[in-house]
Short mmCIF file of all heavy atoms in Angstrom, two decimals:
data_model
loop_
_atom_site.label_atom_id
_atom_site.label_comp_id
_atom_site.label_asym_id
_atom_site.label_seq_id
_atom_site.Cartn_x
_atom_site.Cartn_y
_atom_site.Cartn_z
N MET A 1 -11.83 -20.01 8.42
CA MET A 1 -10.46 -19.60 8.83
C MET A 1 -9.48 -20.31 7.93
O MET A 1 -9.76 -21.47 7.51
CB MET A 1 -10.13 -19.93 10.24
CG MET A 1 -10.64 -18.88 11.24
SD MET A 1 -9.81 -19.01 12.82
CE MET A 1 -10.41 -20.52 13.41
N MET A 2 -8.43 -19.61 7.55
CA MET A 2 -7.35 -20.23 6.82
C MET A 2 -6.02 -19.80 7.28
O MET A 2 -5.94 -18.74 7.94
CB MET A 2 -7.53 -19.91 5.33
CG MET A 2 -7.48 -18.42 4.96
SD MET A 2 -7.78 -18.18 3.23
CE MET A 2 -7.53 -16.45 3.08
N PRO A 3 -4.94 -20.52 7.01
CA PRO A 3 -3.61 -20.09 7.45
C PRO A 3 -3.11 -18.84 6.79
O PRO A 3 -3.50 -18.63 5.59
CB PRO A 3 -2.66 -21.28 7.30
CG PRO A 3 -3.43 -22.13 6.24
CD PRO A 3 -4.86 -21.82 6.39
N LEU A 4 -2.34 -18.07 7.43
CA LEU A 4 -1.74 -16.86 6.86
C LEU A 4 -1.05 -17.12 5.51
O LEU A 4 -0.92 -16.26 4.67
CB LEU A 4 -0.76 -16.24 7.84
CG LEU A 4 -0.18 -14.87 7.52
CD1 LEU A 4 -1.15 -13.87 7.18
CD2 LEU A 4 0.76 -14.45 8.73
N THR A 5 -0.47 -18.35 5.35
CA THR A 5 0.16 -18.66 4.09
C THR A 5 -0.64 -18.63 2.88
O THR A 5 -0.20 -18.49 1.84
CB THR A 5 0.82 -20.10 4.15
OG1 THR A 5 -0.17 -21.00 4.63
CG2 THR A 5 2.11 -20.20 5.13
N MET A 6 -1.97 -18.51 3.05
CA MET A 6 -2.98 -18.46 1.91
C MET A 6 -3.11 -17.06 1.48
O MET A 6 -3.71 -16.78 0.42
CB MET A 6 -4.31 -19.05 2.39
CG MET A 6 -4.25 -20.44 2.85
SD MET A 6 -3.74 -21.63 1.44
CE MET A 6 -5.28 -21.67 0.52
N ALA A 7 -2.67 -16.08 2.28
CA ALA A 7 -2.85 -14.60 1.96
C ALA A 7 -1.92 -14.29 0.73
O ALA A 7 -0.84 -14.84 0.68
CB ALA A 7 -2.64 -13.71 3.15
N LYS A 8 -2.39 -13.37 -0.02
CA LYS A 8 -1.55 -12.96 -1.23
C LYS A 8 -0.77 -11.65 -0.85
O LYS A 8 -1.09 -10.92 0.04
CB LYS A 8 -2.47 -12.62 -2.43
CG LYS A 8 -3.36 -13.77 -2.78
CD LYS A 8 -2.59 -14.69 -3.80
CE LYS A 8 -3.39 -15.97 -4.13
NZ LYS A 8 -3.31 -17.08 -3.18
N ALA A 9 0.41 -11.49 -1.60
CA ALA A 9 1.15 -10.22 -1.37
C ALA A 9 0.26 -9.01 -1.52
O ALA A 9 -0.57 -8.98 -2.49
CB ALA A 9 2.34 -10.25 -2.41
N GLY A 10 0.42 -8.05 -0.74
CA GLY A 10 -0.38 -6.86 -0.78
C GLY A 10 -1.68 -6.91 -0.04
O GLY A 10 -2.30 -5.86 0.19
N GLU A 11 -2.06 -8.03 0.40
CA GLU A 11 -3.21 -8.25 1.17
C GLU A 11 -3.07 -7.86 2.64
O GLU A 11 -1.95 -8.15 3.24
CB GLU A 11 -3.75 -9.71 1.08
CG GLU A 11 -5.14 -9.95 0.76
CD GLU A 11 -5.54 -11.36 0.67
OE1 GLU A 11 -4.72 -12.22 0.19
OE2 GLU A 11 -6.67 -11.62 1.08
N THR A 12 -4.07 -7.18 3.27
CA THR A 12 -4.08 -6.94 4.67
C THR A 12 -5.11 -7.73 5.36
O THR A 12 -6.24 -7.77 4.82
CB THR A 12 -4.27 -5.41 5.02
OG1 THR A 12 -3.23 -4.61 4.40
CG2 THR A 12 -4.28 -5.19 6.45
N VAL A 13 -4.67 -8.55 6.36
CA VAL A 13 -5.58 -9.48 6.95
C VAL A 13 -5.63 -9.36 8.43
O VAL A 13 -4.66 -8.68 9.09
CB VAL A 13 -5.17 -10.93 6.58
CG1 VAL A 13 -5.32 -11.21 5.07
CG2 VAL A 13 -3.75 -11.25 7.05
N THR A 14 -6.73 -9.83 9.07
CA THR A 14 -6.82 -9.82 10.50
C THR A 14 -6.58 -11.24 11.14
O THR A 14 -7.04 -12.17 10.55
CB THR A 14 -8.24 -9.33 10.93
OG1 THR A 14 -8.45 -8.06 10.31
CG2 THR A 14 -8.44 -9.20 12.43
N ILE A 15 -5.79 -11.25 12.17
CA ILE A 15 -5.46 -12.56 12.81
C ILE A 15 -6.61 -12.97 13.63
O ILE A 15 -7.16 -12.17 14.44
CB ILE A 15 -4.17 -12.42 13.69
CG1 ILE A 15 -2.97 -12.08 12.82
CG2 ILE A 15 -3.99 -13.60 14.47
CD1 ILE A 15 -1.75 -11.67 13.59
N ARG A 16 -7.14 -14.09 13.45
CA ARG A 16 -8.23 -14.74 14.12
C ARG A 16 -7.87 -15.64 15.21
O ARG A 16 -8.54 -15.76 16.27
CB ARG A 16 -9.13 -15.57 13.17
CG ARG A 16 -9.69 -14.69 12.01
CD ARG A 16 -10.82 -13.77 12.48
NE ARG A 16 -11.15 -12.80 11.45
CZ ARG A 16 -11.52 -11.62 11.69
NH1 ARG A 16 -11.51 -11.04 12.91
NH2 ARG A 16 -11.90 -10.79 10.69
N LYS A 17 -6.77 -16.43 15.06
CA LYS A 17 -6.35 -17.35 16.01
C LYS A 17 -4.91 -17.76 15.80
O LYS A 17 -4.42 -17.69 14.64
CB LYS A 17 -7.19 -18.65 15.82
CG LYS A 17 -6.98 -19.79 16.81
CD LYS A 17 -7.89 -20.94 16.49
CE LYS A 17 -7.59 -22.04 17.50
NZ LYS A 17 -8.25 -23.25 17.20
N ILE A 18 -4.20 -18.05 16.85
CA ILE A 18 -2.83 -18.53 16.69
C ILE A 18 -2.73 -19.96 17.38
O ILE A 18 -3.12 -20.06 18.55
CB ILE A 18 -1.80 -17.49 17.31
CG1 ILE A 18 -1.88 -16.32 16.52
CG2 ILE A 18 -0.40 -18.11 17.29
CD1 ILE A 18 -1.18 -15.08 17.14
N THR A 19 -2.23 -20.89 16.64
CA THR A 19 -2.18 -22.28 17.19
C THR A 19 -0.74 -22.58 17.53
O THR A 19 0.17 -21.79 17.14
CB THR A 19 -2.72 -23.27 16.15
OG1 THR A 19 -1.72 -23.26 15.03
CG2 THR A 19 -4.06 -23.01 15.66
N GLY A 20 -0.52 -23.67 18.28
CA GLY A 20 0.83 -24.10 18.57
C GLY A 20 1.04 -24.05 20.12
O GLY A 20 0.13 -23.67 20.89
N ARG A 21 2.25 -24.47 20.50
CA ARG A 21 2.54 -24.57 21.98
C ARG A 21 2.59 -23.11 22.56
O ARG A 21 2.73 -22.09 21.82
CB ARG A 21 3.89 -25.17 22.13
CG ARG A 21 3.96 -26.64 21.74
CD ARG A 21 5.24 -27.29 22.14
NE ARG A 21 6.40 -26.52 21.84
CZ ARG A 21 7.07 -26.48 20.66
NH1 ARG A 21 6.55 -27.24 19.68
NH2 ARG A 21 8.13 -25.76 20.51
N ASP A 22 2.44 -23.01 23.80
CA ASP A 22 2.47 -21.69 24.58
C ASP A 22 3.71 -20.86 24.10
O ASP A 22 3.50 -19.65 23.86
CB ASP A 22 2.48 -21.90 26.08
CG ASP A 22 1.04 -22.31 26.51
OD1 ASP A 22 0.07 -22.37 25.71
OD2 ASP A 22 0.95 -22.68 27.63
N GLU A 23 4.88 -21.52 24.06
CA GLU A 23 6.07 -20.70 23.82
C GLU A 23 6.09 -20.15 22.38
O GLU A 23 6.60 -19.17 22.04
CB GLU A 23 7.33 -21.51 24.16
CG GLU A 23 7.52 -22.78 23.45
CD GLU A 23 7.02 -23.96 24.32
OE1 GLU A 23 6.03 -23.82 24.98
OE2 GLU A 23 7.60 -25.06 24.18
N VAL A 24 5.38 -20.93 21.45
CA VAL A 24 5.38 -20.42 20.08
C VAL A 24 4.40 -19.25 20.00
O VAL A 24 4.74 -18.27 19.37
CB VAL A 24 4.81 -21.59 19.12
CG1 VAL A 24 4.49 -21.06 17.83
CG2 VAL A 24 5.82 -22.74 19.08
N ARG A 25 3.24 -19.41 20.69
CA ARG A 25 2.34 -18.25 20.70
C ARG A 25 2.93 -17.01 21.39
O ARG A 25 2.82 -15.90 20.85
CB ARG A 25 1.02 -18.64 21.34
CG ARG A 25 0.32 -19.70 20.54
CD ARG A 25 -1.17 -19.85 20.90
NE ARG A 25 -1.42 -20.05 22.32
CZ ARG A 25 -1.59 -21.16 22.97
NH1 ARG A 25 -1.50 -22.28 22.18
NH2 ARG A 25 -1.72 -21.22 24.20
N GLN A 26 3.74 -17.30 22.45
CA GLN A 26 4.29 -16.12 23.11
C GLN A 26 5.29 -15.48 22.20
O GLN A 26 5.41 -14.20 22.21
CB GLN A 26 5.01 -16.71 24.42
CG GLN A 26 5.70 -15.70 25.21
CD GLN A 26 4.75 -14.67 25.88
OE1 GLN A 26 3.75 -15.09 26.28
NE2 GLN A 26 5.09 -13.46 25.83
N HIS A 27 6.10 -16.20 21.53
CA HIS A 27 7.15 -15.70 20.65
C HIS A 27 6.44 -14.85 19.49
O HIS A 27 6.85 -13.71 19.23
CB HIS A 27 7.97 -16.84 20.04
CG HIS A 27 8.89 -16.38 18.97
ND1 HIS A 27 10.01 -15.63 19.24
CD2 HIS A 27 8.93 -16.65 17.66
CE1 HIS A 27 10.73 -15.33 18.13
NE2 HIS A 27 10.09 -15.94 17.16
N LEU A 28 5.42 -15.40 18.92
CA LEU A 28 4.65 -14.67 17.87
C LEU A 28 4.10 -13.39 18.47
O LEU A 28 4.03 -12.33 17.85
CB LEU A 28 3.59 -15.53 17.28
CG LEU A 28 4.10 -16.59 16.35
CD1 LEU A 28 3.04 -17.63 15.98
CD2 LEU A 28 4.77 -16.04 15.07
N ALA A 29 3.47 -13.48 19.68
CA ALA A 29 2.95 -12.30 20.38
C ALA A 29 3.97 -11.21 20.56
O ALA A 29 3.72 -9.99 20.36
CB ALA A 29 2.28 -12.67 21.70
N GLU A 30 5.21 -11.61 20.97
CA GLU A 30 6.28 -10.61 21.16
C GLU A 30 6.64 -9.96 19.86
O GLU A 30 7.11 -8.81 19.82
CB GLU A 30 7.50 -11.32 21.73
CG GLU A 30 7.34 -11.61 23.24
CD GLU A 30 8.34 -12.60 23.76
OE1 GLU A 30 9.24 -13.04 23.05
OE2 GLU A 30 8.15 -13.01 24.92
N LEU A 31 6.46 -10.61 18.73
CA LEU A 31 6.70 -10.04 17.38
C LEU A 31 5.64 -9.15 16.90
O LEU A 31 5.75 -8.46 15.90
CB LEU A 31 7.00 -11.15 16.32
CG LEU A 31 8.23 -12.08 16.50
CD1 LEU A 31 8.26 -13.10 15.55
CD2 LEU A 31 9.52 -11.20 16.36
N GLY A 32 4.46 -9.17 17.62
CA GLY A 32 3.33 -8.37 17.25
C GLY A 32 2.16 -9.04 16.66
O GLY A 32 1.14 -8.52 16.26
N PHE A 33 2.31 -10.43 16.60
CA PHE A 33 1.26 -11.24 16.02
C PHE A 33 0.20 -11.62 17.16
O PHE A 33 0.48 -12.55 17.85
CB PHE A 33 1.81 -12.47 15.35
CG PHE A 33 2.63 -12.11 14.17
CD1 PHE A 33 4.04 -12.18 14.31
CD2 PHE A 33 2.10 -11.90 12.93
CE1 PHE A 33 4.84 -11.87 13.25
CE2 PHE A 33 2.94 -11.59 11.87
CZ PHE A 33 4.27 -11.64 12.06
N VAL A 34 -0.86 -10.80 17.25
CA VAL A 34 -1.85 -11.09 18.30
C VAL A 34 -3.26 -11.10 17.64
O VAL A 34 -3.45 -10.46 16.64
CB VAL A 34 -1.80 -10.04 19.47
CG1 VAL A 34 -0.56 -10.26 20.35
CG2 VAL A 34 -1.87 -8.64 18.95
N VAL A 35 -4.07 -11.87 18.26
CA VAL A 35 -5.49 -11.99 17.71
C VAL A 35 -6.09 -10.60 17.65
O VAL A 35 -5.92 -9.69 18.50
CB VAL A 35 -6.31 -12.96 18.65
CG1 VAL A 35 -7.73 -12.98 18.26
CG2 VAL A 35 -5.70 -14.36 18.61
N ASP A 36 -6.87 -10.47 16.53
CA ASP A 36 -7.56 -9.19 16.14
C ASP A 36 -6.68 -8.10 15.61
O ASP A 36 -7.19 -7.02 15.34
CB ASP A 36 -8.40 -8.65 17.32
CG ASP A 36 -9.56 -9.58 17.66
OD1 ASP A 36 -10.02 -10.28 16.75
OD2 ASP A 36 -9.98 -9.66 18.81
N SER A 37 -5.35 -8.36 15.58
CA SER A 37 -4.47 -7.29 14.98
C SER A 37 -4.36 -7.54 13.47
O SER A 37 -4.69 -8.66 12.96
CB SER A 37 -3.12 -7.32 15.63
OG SER A 37 -2.40 -8.55 15.32
N THR A 38 -4.08 -6.54 12.74
CA THR A 38 -3.92 -6.73 11.27
C THR A 38 -2.44 -6.85 10.88
O THR A 38 -1.53 -6.21 11.46
CB THR A 38 -4.60 -5.58 10.55
OG1 THR A 38 -3.96 -4.29 10.90
CG2 THR A 38 -6.08 -5.45 10.74
N VAL A 39 -2.22 -7.56 9.83
CA VAL A 39 -0.91 -7.69 9.23
C VAL A 39 -1.02 -7.63 7.70
O VAL A 39 -2.08 -7.97 7.24
CB VAL A 39 -0.20 -9.04 9.61
CG1 VAL A 39 0.04 -9.12 11.08
CG2 VAL A 39 -0.94 -10.26 9.09
N THR A 40 -0.02 -7.03 7.08
CA THR A 40 0.03 -6.93 5.64
C THR A 40 1.08 -7.81 5.11
O THR A 40 2.24 -7.79 5.61
CB THR A 40 0.28 -5.48 5.25
OG1 THR A 40 -0.74 -4.64 5.84
CG2 THR A 40 0.25 -5.32 3.73
N VAL A 41 0.71 -8.59 4.10
CA VAL A 41 1.66 -9.39 3.46
C VAL A 41 2.42 -8.57 2.41
O VAL A 41 1.89 -8.09 1.47
CB VAL A 41 1.00 -10.60 2.72
CG1 VAL A 41 2.03 -11.53 2.00
CG2 VAL A 41 0.21 -11.48 3.66
N VAL A 42 3.67 -8.44 2.62
CA VAL A 42 4.59 -7.59 1.77
C VAL A 42 5.01 -8.45 0.57
O VAL A 42 4.80 -8.15 -0.63
CB VAL A 42 5.83 -7.04 2.52
CG1 VAL A 42 6.73 -6.33 1.56
CG2 VAL A 42 5.32 -6.18 3.66
N SER A 43 5.52 -9.60 0.86
CA SER A 43 5.94 -10.54 -0.23
C SER A 43 6.00 -11.97 0.30
O SER A 43 5.97 -12.16 1.47
CB SER A 43 7.25 -10.15 -0.87
OG SER A 43 8.26 -10.23 0.01
N GLU A 44 6.05 -12.84 -0.73
CA GLU A 44 6.05 -14.31 -0.35
C GLU A 44 7.06 -14.90 -1.36
O GLU A 44 7.05 -14.74 -2.45
CB GLU A 44 4.69 -14.91 -0.57
CG GLU A 44 4.54 -16.38 -0.32
CD GLU A 44 4.64 -17.25 -1.52
OE1 GLU A 44 4.41 -16.80 -2.66
OE2 GLU A 44 5.16 -18.32 -1.34
N ILE A 45 8.05 -15.66 -0.73
CA ILE A 45 9.07 -16.34 -1.44
C ILE A 45 9.17 -17.73 -0.99
O ILE A 45 9.49 -17.99 0.17
CB ILE A 45 10.47 -15.70 -1.30
CG1 ILE A 45 10.38 -14.20 -1.77
CG2 ILE A 45 11.52 -16.35 -2.14
CD1 ILE A 45 11.18 -13.26 -0.97
N ALA A 46 8.79 -18.74 -1.82
CA ALA A 46 8.81 -20.19 -1.55
C ALA A 46 8.03 -20.52 -0.25
O ALA A 46 8.49 -21.30 0.62
CB ALA A 46 10.22 -20.64 -1.45
N GLY A 47 6.92 -19.80 0.04
CA GLY A 47 6.06 -20.09 1.24
C GLY A 47 6.48 -19.23 2.46
O GLY A 47 5.79 -19.21 3.47
N ASN A 48 7.67 -18.64 2.34
CA ASN A 48 8.08 -17.78 3.51
C ASN A 48 7.54 -16.41 3.29
O ASN A 48 7.60 -15.88 2.08
CB ASN A 48 9.65 -17.73 3.61
CG ASN A 48 10.23 -19.17 3.84
OD1 ASN A 48 9.61 -19.91 4.51
ND2 ASN A 48 11.28 -19.47 3.12
N LEU A 49 7.05 -15.78 4.25
CA LEU A 49 6.38 -14.48 4.15
C LEU A 49 7.19 -13.31 4.76
O LEU A 49 7.78 -13.49 5.81
CB LEU A 49 5.01 -14.59 4.86
CG LEU A 49 4.01 -15.52 4.34
CD1 LEU A 49 2.83 -15.69 5.20
CD2 LEU A 49 3.59 -15.28 2.83
N ILE A 50 7.13 -12.23 4.07
CA ILE A 50 7.63 -10.86 4.62
C ILE A 50 6.33 -10.21 5.05
O ILE A 50 5.49 -9.93 4.16
CB ILE A 50 8.39 -10.09 3.62
CG1 ILE A 50 9.54 -10.92 2.99
CG2 ILE A 50 8.89 -8.83 4.35
CD1 ILE A 50 10.69 -11.31 3.95
N LEU A 51 6.24 -9.88 6.27
CA LEU A 51 4.99 -9.19 6.82
C LEU A 51 5.23 -7.84 7.37
O LEU A 51 6.28 -7.66 7.99
CB LEU A 51 4.36 -10.18 7.80
CG LEU A 51 4.09 -11.58 7.38
CD1 LEU A 51 3.98 -12.56 8.53
CD2 LEU A 51 2.83 -11.58 6.50
N GLN A 52 4.29 -6.99 7.24
CA GLN A 52 4.29 -5.67 7.85
C GLN A 52 3.42 -5.75 9.11
O GLN A 52 2.22 -6.04 8.92
CB GLN A 52 3.83 -4.62 6.91
CG GLN A 52 3.80 -3.17 7.53
CD GLN A 52 5.21 -2.55 7.33
OE1 GLN A 52 5.83 -2.79 6.41
NE2 GLN A 52 5.50 -1.68 8.32
N VAL A 53 4.00 -5.57 10.26
CA VAL A 53 3.19 -5.64 11.51
C VAL A 53 3.47 -4.35 12.23
O VAL A 53 4.57 -4.12 12.58
CB VAL A 53 3.65 -6.84 12.40
CG1 VAL A 53 2.76 -6.89 13.64
CG2 VAL A 53 3.53 -8.11 11.65
N LYS A 54 2.44 -3.48 12.47
CA LYS A 54 2.63 -2.20 13.05
C LYS A 54 3.67 -1.52 12.20
O LYS A 54 3.53 -1.30 11.01
CB LYS A 54 2.96 -2.27 14.48
CG LYS A 54 1.86 -2.99 15.34
CD LYS A 54 2.08 -2.93 16.79
CE LYS A 54 0.98 -3.60 17.59
NZ LYS A 54 1.01 -5.00 17.53
N ASP A 55 4.84 -1.11 12.79
CA ASP A 55 5.82 -0.39 12.08
C ASP A 55 6.97 -1.25 11.69
O ASP A 55 8.07 -0.74 11.30
CB ASP A 55 6.38 0.79 12.96
CG ASP A 55 5.21 1.79 13.21
OD1 ASP A 55 4.29 1.94 12.33
OD2 ASP A 55 5.23 2.38 14.27
N SER A 56 6.96 -2.57 11.85
CA SER A 56 8.11 -3.39 11.49
C SER A 56 7.80 -4.35 10.38
O SER A 56 6.68 -4.74 10.18
CB SER A 56 8.64 -4.18 12.68
OG SER A 56 7.84 -3.91 13.92
N ARG A 57 8.86 -4.81 9.74
CA ARG A 57 8.75 -5.79 8.79
C ARG A 57 9.39 -7.08 9.33
O ARG A 57 10.44 -7.03 9.83
CB ARG A 57 9.50 -5.41 7.45
CG ARG A 57 8.67 -4.49 6.65
CD ARG A 57 9.17 -4.37 5.24
NE ARG A 57 8.26 -3.56 4.45
CZ ARG A 57 8.36 -3.31 3.24
NH1 ARG A 57 9.27 -3.88 2.52
NH2 ARG A 57 7.43 -2.66 2.64
N ILE A 58 8.63 -8.18 9.22
CA ILE A 58 9.08 -9.40 9.88
C ILE A 58 9.00 -10.54 8.84
O ILE A 58 8.02 -10.63 8.12
CB ILE A 58 8.27 -9.72 11.08
CG1 ILE A 58 8.45 -8.60 12.14
CG2 ILE A 58 8.65 -11.07 11.68
CD1 ILE A 58 7.41 -8.61 13.23
N ALA A 59 10.10 -11.31 8.78
CA ALA A 59 10.07 -12.53 7.88
C ALA A 59 9.62 -13.72 8.76
O ALA A 59 10.06 -13.87 9.86
CB ALA A 59 11.43 -12.80 7.42
N LEU A 60 8.71 -14.46 8.20
CA LEU A 60 8.20 -15.72 8.94
C LEU A 60 8.35 -16.87 8.03
O LEU A 60 7.99 -16.70 6.81
CB LEU A 60 6.72 -15.55 9.30
CG LEU A 60 6.32 -14.98 10.63
CD1 LEU A 60 4.85 -15.36 10.81
CD2 LEU A 60 7.12 -15.43 11.75
N ASP A 61 8.85 -17.92 8.48
CA ASP A 61 8.88 -19.17 7.60
C ASP A 61 7.52 -19.76 7.47
O ASP A 61 6.64 -19.49 8.37
CB ASP A 61 9.90 -20.12 8.05
CG ASP A 61 9.71 -20.84 9.43
OD1 ASP A 61 8.56 -20.86 9.83
OD2 ASP A 61 10.67 -21.26 10.04
N LYS A 62 7.37 -20.64 6.60
CA LYS A 62 6.07 -21.33 6.28
C LYS A 62 5.48 -21.98 7.51
O LYS A 62 4.31 -21.88 7.79
CB LYS A 62 6.31 -22.38 5.17
CG LYS A 62 5.04 -22.92 4.63
CD LYS A 62 5.39 -23.95 3.53
CE LYS A 62 5.84 -23.39 2.28
NZ LYS A 62 6.04 -24.36 1.18
N THR A 63 6.42 -22.67 8.36
CA THR A 63 5.92 -23.39 9.51
C THR A 63 5.17 -22.43 10.48
O THR A 63 4.13 -22.75 10.96
CB THR A 63 7.09 -24.11 10.21
OG1 THR A 63 7.88 -24.80 9.23
CG2 THR A 63 6.64 -25.08 11.23
N MET A 64 5.83 -21.29 10.80
CA MET A 64 5.24 -20.30 11.74
C MET A 64 4.02 -19.65 11.09
O MET A 64 2.99 -19.53 11.74
CB MET A 64 6.28 -19.26 12.03
CG MET A 64 7.42 -19.78 12.90
SD MET A 64 6.83 -20.41 14.47
CE MET A 64 7.42 -19.29 15.58
N ALA A 65 4.13 -19.34 9.82
CA ALA A 65 3.00 -18.65 9.21
C ALA A 65 1.72 -19.54 9.15
O ALA A 65 0.65 -19.10 9.33
CB ALA A 65 3.37 -18.23 7.74
N ASN A 66 1.94 -20.88 9.06
CA ASN A 66 0.75 -21.80 9.05
C ASN A 66 0.14 -21.86 10.35
O ASN A 66 -1.04 -22.38 10.51
CB ASN A 66 1.36 -23.13 8.64
CG ASN A 66 1.24 -23.40 7.16
OD1 ASN A 66 0.36 -22.91 6.43
ND2 ASN A 66 2.23 -24.05 6.62
N ARG A 67 0.74 -21.36 11.45
CA ARG A 67 0.11 -21.36 12.84
C ARG A 67 -0.83 -20.16 13.02
O ARG A 67 -1.44 -20.14 13.98
CB ARG A 67 1.19 -21.40 13.82
CG ARG A 67 1.94 -22.72 13.78
CD ARG A 67 2.96 -22.84 14.78
NE ARG A 67 3.48 -24.18 14.67
CZ ARG A 67 4.43 -24.62 15.39
NH1 ARG A 67 4.92 -23.99 16.40
NH2 ARG A 67 4.89 -25.86 15.25
N ILE A 68 -0.62 -19.22 12.13
CA ILE A 68 -1.42 -18.01 12.28
C ILE A 68 -2.75 -18.05 11.38
O ILE A 68 -2.60 -18.28 10.13
CB ILE A 68 -0.62 -16.74 11.96
CG1 ILE A 68 0.56 -16.66 12.86
CG2 ILE A 68 -1.50 -15.52 11.99
CD1 ILE A 68 1.63 -15.65 12.48
N MET A 69 -3.82 -18.20 12.05
CA MET A 69 -5.17 -18.23 11.21
C MET A 69 -5.76 -16.91 11.02
O MET A 69 -5.80 -16.07 11.87
CB MET A 69 -6.11 -19.15 12.00
CG MET A 69 -5.60 -20.51 12.21
SD MET A 69 -5.50 -21.43 10.63
CE MET A 69 -4.58 -22.85 11.04
N ILE A 70 -6.20 -16.75 9.77
CA ILE A 70 -6.85 -15.49 9.36
C ILE A 70 -8.31 -15.70 8.99
O ILE A 70 -8.68 -16.88 8.65
CB ILE A 70 -6.11 -14.72 8.34
CG1 ILE A 70 -5.89 -15.64 7.06
CG2 ILE A 70 -4.74 -14.25 8.77
CD1 ILE A 70 -5.32 -14.99 5.86
#
């Protein structure tokens, strides 16, 4: 497993695990980041990611992206 920040732009990956406090995991789940779902990395700027999750595009900072394991 590796953090989502290691994924390259254009890559579609499957979420394996989400780390962090319950409220952090809950917040990510509300945005659509749940285990076994797929996300596509649209772009990466200075470690911050723009992600395609289902039908939405979501920006995540490096700290949050590092909690999502792929």
